[in-house]
Structures are given as structure tokens and as C-alpha cells.
Amino acid sequence: MIGVVDFGAGNTRSVLRGLAAVGAATLTVDRPAQLDGVDRLVLPGVGAAGSAVRELRRRDLWEPLRAWGVAGRPLLGICLGAQLLLDRSEEDAAEGLGLIPGVCRAFPPPQAGGPRRVPHIGWNEVRLAGGVSVEAYFVHGYWLDPADPACVRGTSEVDGFTFPAVVRRGSLTGVQFHPEKSAAFGRALLAAFAQGLLDAPHLAALEAAPWT
């Protein structure tokens, strides 16, 4: 059973539909007790980091989410959900769950080498660590900056600025794009998560395989 955390962040329903489309059994999680009924967890998210943290705390989900990750249980963070896996965010000076060391950063201005188009919205290439390139759909104004470069398992580029699009630490995976909106690749990624194929030792082989 896959739990999808619902804290009013906008894309929970689309993630549930995406998982249902690949045959995964799901449960909406909006209170801590429901975590007892799931084996894998998705933390989605759209919007601002500060309000997301406040809402997760209001629903008493913040510390249980941290405990889930510390225990090494499978967790997929999507967009804002991926950003919350890090130590902190420059958006709203928000704290993160601290599960992947690093900072969620604002894009630098164009004169400092940053992209002209912020927020970054639309389809873009993602280059996976195994050498495969896929297309995914992005909507974001901040980017993942893990402290350990080995955590970066995929990158993307906008206006010459390269940023991590997939980060990984143990059983934790964060994707800056929206797999539920990323057509065949997104469906394949959600199916891989549901089947445990994003877990080691499968990850390296998956990154080098065609995503169809």
C-alpha cells in the first residue's frame, strides 16, 4: 500500500490518479495514524515551503514524516515535497525535514548565471545518472542543492543553468518535476516506485534502461 500525504498542497489528487493508472493501491494520508497502514510513502506538493511546513505541523505529520525517513522507509518526494526532504529552503526561510543534507535554493538572477525564465514551467530534458535522457514536466522557482554530489541522480537545464532534477539518499528519492504530469516516463517512474524498483540495488540498472 502506498500512502500519499495530503496537506492541502494542490497535486495530491493528480498523484493518486497517476498511481492508480499504474495499478498501485493507495491511501490518502492526512493524519499520523494512517501511516500505520502503508508500506511506501509519497510526499507531493505545490506552493510555498513555509505554508507547507506550517500545514504539515498543524496536522501533526511533520515529526512522523521525519521518523519515517530516518527509519529508512521508502519515500518519494515530488516537487515541493522533494524540496522539503532537505535541511532548509531559502523560500520563506523554511526548515526542512533534514533527511537529505542540503538546501533548497532560489534560482540566481540572469546576471549571475541564472535562468531568464523563473519560475521554470514546462517540459524539459532530464539526464539520468545512467546516461538515459527523458522528458519531464516542471513547475518550480527553487532548486535542490544537496550537500553530497553523489546524491544527484539526474539533472536538467534551463537557459544554461544546470540543476539537480533527481536526488537520492538511501530509500529516499526526490524529483523536482511532476511524474504525474510527465506522460510515459512519469508513469514508468511511479510504477517503478510502487514495485520497489527505485530501491537499491535496482536503481543503477533502472537509470541506464529505456523508460518506456
Side-chain angles (χ1 to χ4, degrees):
M1 180 71 70
I2 298 177
V4 179
V5 180
D6 180 9
F7 57 100
N11 67 328
T12 301
R13 289 185 180 180
S14 61
V15 171
L16 287 166
R17 288 194 296 268
L19 288 165
V22 299
T26 60
L27 174 68
T28 301
V29 173
D30 58 15
R31 58 184 185 274
Q34 293 169 319
L35 291 170
D36 295 334
V38 300
D39 306 301
R40 319 181 74 77
L41 197 61
V42 178
L43 178 60
V46 172
S51 60
V53 173
R54 287 191 295 272
E55 188 60 22
L56 284 167
R57 285 195 173 280
R58 188 185 72 82
R59 300 187 186 206
D60 295 323
L61 284 166
W62 187 256
E63 292 303 329
L65 283 173
R66 193 196 304 272
W68 179 286
V70 169
R73 305 184 70 183
L75 173 60
L76 173 64
I78 296 175
C79 197
L80 176 58
Q83 296 172 359
L84 293 177
L85 299 180
L86 304 183
D87 292 321
R88 62 182 179 87
S89 175
E90 292 182 347
E91 184 179 26
D92 304 327
E95 66 174 315
L97 289 163
L99 299 174
I100 298 178
V103 179
C104 175
R105 301 192 185 279
F107 283 113
Q111 58 268 31
R116 299 183 304 275
R117 296 168 290 168
V118 178
H120 170 218
I121 299 174
W123 290 89
N124 214 26
E125 181 184 34
V126 175
R127 295 176 295 278
L128 299 175
V132 174
S133 291
V134 294
E135 292 287 321
Y137 189 82
F138 291 82
V139 182
H140 65 120
Y142 291 77
W143 58 282
L144 304 163
D145 186 14
D148 182 0
C151 290
V152 178
R153 308 303 303 180
T155 61
S156 190
E157 181 181 312
V158 56
D159 296 334
F161 184 85
T162 300
F163 60 90
V166 183
V167 297
R168 174 79 180 184
R169 183 172 187 253
S171 61
L172 308 172
T173 303
V175 294
Q176 184 59 72
F177 51 85
H178 286 270
E180 77 279 12
K181 297 181 179 180
S182 295
F185 164 59
R187 289 192 296 272
L189 188 144
L190 291 175
F193 178 70
Q195 296 164 17
L197 296 179
L198 292 189
D199 301 345
H202 307 289
L203 182 64
L206 195 63
E207 289 170 337
W211 288 77
T212 58

